[in-house]
RNA sequence: GAGGCUGUAGCUCAGUUGGUUUAGAGCACUAGCUUGACAGGCUAGGGGUCAUGGGUUCGAAUCCCUUCAGCCUCACCA
């Protein structure tokens, strides 16, 4: 057989992914096994794979593959999110480029464009996940806007409306002037920005000599003012209260009122009140019964109410009004000012507070439920500290109702209808529109007939609410709807609650919290006696944000992110998986150090960590080549090989044992590093070197005994299975190279190895031998003696060293790996040797060069000083009576042993020193 | 303004309820190796007053407080 001396990920990755898919290994159906379920955080249907996805999905794949190897029924449900604002914005832009305006299209026309686009480009990201090796059950791929999931949205909307938790109200909402829709509070991102504070003088009506100066950073809204407010205790303005002021430029008269909301210290102490364009002013206005003058259109331009600058954009108007105020002499002062400005998460437009009619979900009960679920441990957070953030948002002082309506078309239309009256308007009660909510128009009609007391109404008299629901109003149902739980609970009762949710902490409010709420709201109603738990998932593993070495979030716009697929191209999927994982711990942000091109300042598609992963694959590949290159014969197993086999089995079991514990706490990078060390250092550097047959020249080696060979293949197989969740492709490939396999005998469907009983004494003896070998090598290095030159080693006769060398295979191990020609026990220190200590055993290495006495003296003196310091430290502890009396006995005993060892070592070093000095 | 997280080797990080020979790994660095699986390799080495100052304790990287630095969340801001 001839294998290339480099592992080739490209070939094997496509080959094995296709093989796994062909064998239907990713698919899950309910059966008698224990389920292990993960629902993917659905990426935007139009998204492309980025570093965050890579991290996230690598972790999910590790958990899923491990569960599968453990014999569980592993089910990883993939899918995409329709991402209403983001996708609609993209489609609108695309149509505009084709010369089509959204406003010229009907709703249905627009939606067919959007679906066409989604069908063409959507789901690309899922294809990209396959490159990463994600073992999702692709047959179960879902989309938040497909029929069954949309039906569920309508169902829960109607249900919540019936329960009195959904209401429609006129509120100050965050308005996105670009997308022309309301936003929830969570969709507003605040950033500090430089701005100016305008000090503007308003004349007092009837006395043009008197004026009042207010400070504002939004001068373009003065035309919407309906009062000026001052603090009741502010002496400066007492005489003006009750008088009227005139708005500059338009000379509209507004009252001067007093309100404790005003901060005397800030600005001029006088505050213009603009109820239509500021949430706080709106409240002040309500308290004082002020009129609301709205001077802005939905797109952020000024309307006729403004009287001046009509049609101008708000920011253009700001510049223009500055000039007008300067000319009129009303602009008294300009002050630099920094303030935080809200932007739309999706379009980045500056958010405008706007008074609009929107649908809200009452969050009070939901929030309490959400808090309880985590507090009582039904949902566990990893890391636990995420609770703080969660609590802050959900506690009753902070929680706010969820604005769930959006003025968009791409999404689930709100199932509410209004009755059209004879004059073409909507039927009202006490001046308020009445909405009839129902699962179908007929249901709504039934309601309408009763409420309006008119039996002649037909569906033609009803007009449907134009709005759609917030994207998250569909994704909060994801753990239920991916199993069609609102229609049929057959699968839900098997898979619910899911096991682990893996997601970034940035969507803890948007998504995680709300899924928990939805789970508690409906799972019991749906499952009843079959309910295994109300929580949608037992554990939440929060990944950190992937950042660059300057700690900036990796993003396309910054150009600081390597291209995910290019990385896979360069290092292989396994290499990238290794790289991602080796720098990640739960909850902490991940610094993914990828070098930058010094010229373009863009990230290169390179990574040291991924390179390490690639090298690791290569290392394992070459271990395979080595083993497969040996000749095998039915000869007796030498003691050194027997020792090696017993040791590597124990070592592997120890690592496996620790891995179990780490896995249970989601310490995945610990598990991976354990495997890495085990394979590279223990298996390749020690084990294989030990059993490696001697070279006899002419490219030939002695044959290996069959027993050792079989054991080696067995251990290698075990290593591949336990590494498989992390690096699925290379392990599968090696698995198949190790032995001829029957169809279906694949690495990914083996059983996870279980740790056996460990011979601690053997492991300890082996470690001692390793130490002796390392020290021999160190002396060779220091003295410039070639590793090829065989040396003589003398061992001082003592209980422990005799015991060590008596252990089967140890002597042979020392001779082989230390390259010794002789190993002899002595009572006296032989001449012309270099002495060293290993444990409390004393060793003498014969070197055929002249010993530099001075250097030896220096080395031994340093060693001596170390032990003196060490003994002093331990001695101090032991002479402290309180330590001896208070510390647990085993701790004290250990310290005594440390002291005894230290003293013995010191004695041995001093002995050598004396000898040297003579 | 309220709250949270982090600070350990040049870099990225471990260090699990305080006690495992006066702190570990990988990368980077240094020295040696035409080694017959692998130079994407092998062998060895140097490098840390565990941010700071206190406290609790027989014992602190680990627990408590101070200060400093970085990051984050929420709220408010005329």
């Amino acid at each position: 057989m001839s294998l290339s001396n480099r592992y080739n990920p490209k070939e094997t990755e496509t080959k094995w992914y296709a093989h796994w898919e062909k064998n239907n290994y990713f698919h899950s159906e309910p059966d008698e096994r224990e389920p292990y379920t993960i629902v993917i955080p659905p990426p935007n249907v139009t998204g492309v794979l980025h570093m965050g996805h890579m991290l996230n999905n690598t972790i999910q794949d590790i958990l899923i593959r491990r569960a599968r190897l453990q014999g569980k029924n592993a089910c990883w449900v993939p899918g995409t999110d329709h991402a209403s604002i983001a996708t609609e914005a993209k489609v609108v832009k695309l149509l505009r480029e084709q010369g089509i305006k959204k406003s010229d299209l009907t709703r249905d026309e627009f939606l067919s464009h959007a679906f066409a686009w989604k069908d063409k480009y959507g789901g690309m990201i899922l294809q990209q996940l396959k490159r990463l090796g994600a073992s999702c059950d692709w047959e179960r791929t879902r989309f938040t806007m497909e029929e069954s999931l949309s039906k569920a949205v309508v169902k829960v909307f109607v249900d919540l409306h019936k329960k009195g938790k959904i209401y429609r109200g006129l509120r100050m909402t965050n308005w996105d002037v670009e997308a022309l829709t309301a936003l929830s509070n969570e969709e507003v991102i605040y950033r500090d920005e430089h701005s100016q504070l305008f000090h503007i003088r308003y004349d007092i009506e009837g006395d043009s000599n008197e004026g009042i100066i207010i400070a504002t950073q939004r001068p373009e809204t003065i035309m919407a003012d309906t009062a000026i407010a001052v603090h009741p205790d502010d002496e400066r303005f007492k005489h003006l209260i009750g008088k009227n002021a005139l708005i500059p430029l338009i000379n509209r008269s507004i009252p001067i009122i007093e309100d404790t909301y005003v901060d005397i210290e800030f600005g001029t102490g006088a505050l213009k009140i603009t109820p239509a364009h500021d949430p706080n002013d709106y409240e002040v206005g309500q308290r004082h019964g002020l009129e609301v003058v709205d001077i802005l259109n939905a797109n952020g331009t000024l309307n006729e109410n403004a009287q001046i600058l009509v049609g101008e954009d708000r920011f253009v108007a700001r510049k223009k009004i500055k000039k007008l105020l300067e000319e009129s002499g009303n602009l008294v002062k300009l002050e630099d000012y920094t303030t935080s400005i809200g932007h739309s998460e999706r379009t980045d437009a500056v958010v405008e507070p706007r008074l609009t009619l929107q649908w809200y979900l009452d969050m009070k009960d939901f929030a309490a439920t959400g808090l309880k679920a985590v507090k009582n441990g039904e949902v566990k957070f990893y890391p636990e500290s995420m609770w703080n953030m969660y609590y802050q948002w959900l506690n009753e002082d902070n929680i706010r109702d969820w604005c769930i309506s959006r003025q968009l078309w791409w999404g689930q239309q709100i199932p509410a209808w209004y009755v059209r009256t004879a004059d073409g308007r909507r039927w009202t009660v006490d001046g308020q529109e009445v909405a009839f909510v129902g699962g179908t128009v007929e249901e709504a009609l039934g309601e309408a007939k009763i409420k309006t007391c008119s039996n002649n109404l037909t569906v033609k008299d009803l007009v449907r609410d134009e709005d759609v629901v917030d994207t998250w109003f569909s994704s909060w149902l994801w753990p239920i709807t991916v199993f069609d739980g609102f229609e049929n609970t057959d699968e839900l009762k098997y898979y619910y609650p899911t096991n682990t949710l893996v997601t970034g902490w940035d969507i803890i409010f948007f998504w995680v919290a709300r899924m928990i709420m939805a789970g508690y709201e409906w799972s019991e109603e749906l499952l009843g006696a079959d309910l295994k738990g109300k929580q949608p998932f037992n554990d939440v593993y929060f990944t950190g944000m992937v950042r660059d070495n300057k700690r900036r979030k990796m993003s396309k716009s910054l150009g600081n992110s390597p291209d995910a697929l290019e990385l896979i191209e360069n290092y292989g999927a396994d290499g990238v998986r290794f790289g991602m994982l080796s720098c990640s711990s739960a909850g902490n942000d991940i610094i993914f150090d990828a070098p930058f091109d010094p010229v373009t300042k863009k990230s290169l598609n390179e990574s040291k960590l991924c390179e390490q992963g690639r090298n690791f694959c290569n290392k394992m590949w070459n271990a395979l080549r080595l083993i497969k290159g040996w000749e095998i014969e039915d000869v007796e197993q030498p003691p050194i090989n027997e020792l090696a086999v017993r040791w590597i089995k124990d070592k592997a079991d120890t690592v496996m044992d620790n891995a179990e514990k780490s896995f249970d706490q989601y310490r995945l990078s610990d598990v991976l590093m354990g495997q890495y060390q085990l394979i590279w250092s223990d298996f390749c550097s020690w084990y294989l070197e030990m059993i490696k047959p001697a070279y006899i020249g002419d490219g030939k080696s002695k044959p290996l005994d069959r027993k050792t060979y079989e054991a080696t293949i067995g251990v290698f197989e075990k290593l591949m299975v336990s590494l498989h969740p992390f690096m699925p492709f290379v392990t599968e490939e090696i698995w198949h190279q190790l032995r001829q396999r029957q169809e279906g005998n694949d690495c990914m469907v083996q059983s996870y190895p279980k740790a056996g009983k460990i011979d601690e004494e053997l492991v300890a003896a082996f470690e001692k031998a390793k130490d002796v070998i390392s020290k021999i090598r160190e002396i060779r290095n220091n003295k410039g003696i070639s590793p090829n030159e065989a040396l003589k080693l003398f061992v001082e006769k003592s209980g422990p060293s005799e015991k060590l060398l008596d252990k089967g295979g140890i002597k042979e191990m020392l001779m082989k790996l230390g390259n010794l020609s002789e190993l002899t026990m002595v009572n006296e220190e032989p001449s012309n040797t270099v002495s060293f200590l290993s444990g409390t055993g004393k060793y003498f290495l014969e070197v055929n060069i002249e010993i530099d006495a001075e250097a030896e003296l220096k080395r031994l003196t340093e060693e001596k000083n170390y032990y003196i310091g060490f003994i002093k430290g331990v001695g101090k502890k032991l002479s402290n009576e309180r330590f001896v009396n208070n510390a647990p006995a085993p701790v004290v005993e250990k310290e005594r042993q440390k002291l005894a060892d230290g003293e013995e070592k010191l004695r041995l070093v001093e002995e050598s020193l004396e000898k040297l000095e003579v």
Side-chain angles (χ1 to χ4, degrees), chain A residues 47 57 85 124 146 158 168 222 236 342 423 457 506 524 579 619 675 732 736-737 836 870:
Chain A
N57 289 291
I85 294 189
M124 200 161 52
E146 68 185 62
V158 174
R168 189 167 181 244
I222 61 170
R236 293 172 294 178
D423 58 0
L457 283 182
D506 53 336
E524 194 172 18
K619 183 73 184 175
Q675 299 281 345
E732 188 70 81
H736 283 271
Q737 294 286 351
F836 66 93
F870 177 75

Side-chain angles (χ1 to χ4, degrees), chain A residues 736-750:
Chain A
H736 283 271
Q737 294 286 351
L738 280 170
R739 283 189 214 271
Q740 282 292 327
R741 306 282 179 188
Q742 301 254 310
E743 181 64 29
N745 183 358
D746 295 311
C747 187
M748 85 162 275
V749 293
Q750 298 304 307

Side-chain angles (χ1 to χ4, degrees), chain A residues 454-516:
Chain A
S454 47
N455 241 334
N456 310 332
L457 283 182
T458 68
V459 291
K460 287 189 178 150
D461 297 312
L462 295 185
V463 51
R464 187 164 184 179
D465 196 302
E466 289 280 306
D467 294 354
V468 299
V469 291
D470 181 7
T471 291
W472 302 101
F473 196 81
S474 54
S475 39
W476 76 325
L477 307 174
W478 190 245
I480 301 173
T481 51
V482 294
F483 300 113
D484 291 330
F486 284 96
E487 291 179 14
N488 177 343
T489 58
D490 288 354
E491 293 211 317
L492 193 67
K493 71 182 178 201
Y494 181 72
Y495 291 114
Y496 193 95
T498 70
N499 294 73
T500 309
L501 178 77
V502 181
T503 186
W505 54 257
D506 53 336
I507 52 174
I508 187 170
F509 310 134
F510 279 123
W511 196 48
V512 180
R514 287 169 181 161
M515 273 193 289
I516 294 174

Side-chain angles (χ1 to χ4, degrees), chain A residues 100-106 409:
Chain A
I100 304 169
K101 283 197 338 215
K102 183 190 168 193
S103 51
D104 293 341
L105 298 174
T106 65
W409 284 343

Side-chain angles (χ1 to χ4, degrees), chain A residues 146-368:
Chain A
E146 68 185 62
E147 202 192 341
S148 141
L149 279 79
S150 292
K151 268 193 194 162
V153 167
V154 169
K155 241 180 211 177
V156 309
F157 190 99
V158 174
D159 182 47
L160 289 170
H161 187 261
K162 269 196 198 126
K163 289 171 175 164
K165 293 189 175 184
I166 282 184
Y167 63 92
R168 189 167 181 244
L170 187 68
R171 298 284 142 95
M172 262 300 173
T173 39
N174 306 294
W175 184 261
D176 183 330
V177 296
E178 214 165 285
L180 303 178
T181 176
L183 302 172
S184 68
N185 295 319
E186 292 69 43
E187 285 167 301
V188 180
I189 311 295
Y190 288 91
R191 282 201 297 268
D192 272 357
E193 279 172 23
H194 291 295
S195 137
Q196 286 179 313
L197 210 50
F198 292 70
H199 292 242
I200 302 168
R201 181 192 149 103
Y202 289 43
D203 288 343
I204 301 299
E205 195 176 24
D207 183 357
S208 56
N209 291 328
E210 181 105 55
I212 185 164
I213 299 170
I214 58 94
T216 180
Q217 49 126 353
R218 299 202 62 189
E220 74 279 11
T221 64
I222 61 170
M223 293 81 79
D225 290 354
T226 52
I228 287 177
V230 296
H231 196 279
D233 300 340
D234 195 335
E235 294 297 332
R236 293 172 294 178
F237 302 115
K238 272 226 155 114
H239 65 290
L240 294 176
I241 292 166
K243 293 191 176 170
N244 281 357
L246 293 171
I247 298 175
L249 306 176
I250 61 169
N251 283 321
R252 185 155 53 76
S253 170
I254 53 172
I256 297 170
I257 58 171
E258 50 181 11
D259 195 293
T260 51
Y261 166 70
V262 181
D263 180 355
I264 297 177
E265 304 294 321
F266 192 91
T268 62
L271 171 64
K272 80 191 200 65
I273 302 297
T274 319
H277 302 297
D278 183 282
N280 293 302
D281 290 13
Y282 180 72
E283 278 176 32
V284 174
Q286 294 246 296
R287 280 202 286 277
H288 295 270
L290 296 175
E291 202 189 336
V292 176
V293 179
D294 187 338
I295 62 159
L296 289 175
N297 293 312
N299 64 1
T301 57
L302 272 60
N303 64 24
E304 306 78 47
N305 291 339
Q307 299 180 38
I308 56 169
L309 300 170
V310 175
E312 297 283 6
D313 177 78
R314 54 201 166 138
F315 294 114
V316 177
R318 184 177 299 175
K319 278 184 195 147
K320 291 198 171 169
I321 204 163
K322 179 180 169 191
K323 217 173 154 212
L324 293 174
L325 289 167
E326 268 168 3
E327 283 164 11
S328 69
N330 290 81
L331 185 59
V332 183
K333 191 177 148 191
L334 270 177
E335 201 181 323
D336 280 339
Y337 183 62
T338 304
T339 186
S340 72
I341 306 275
H343 294 255
S344 164
E345 195 216 2
R346 299 294 187 183
T347 66
D348 207 43
V350 172
V351 165
E352 191 64 52
R354 192 155 185 257
L355 206 54
T356 51
L357 254 181
Q358 302 290 346
W359 290 92
Y360 289 89
L361 177 60
D362 181 346
M363 294 299 277
K364 201 150 276 147
D365 295 343
F366 277 117

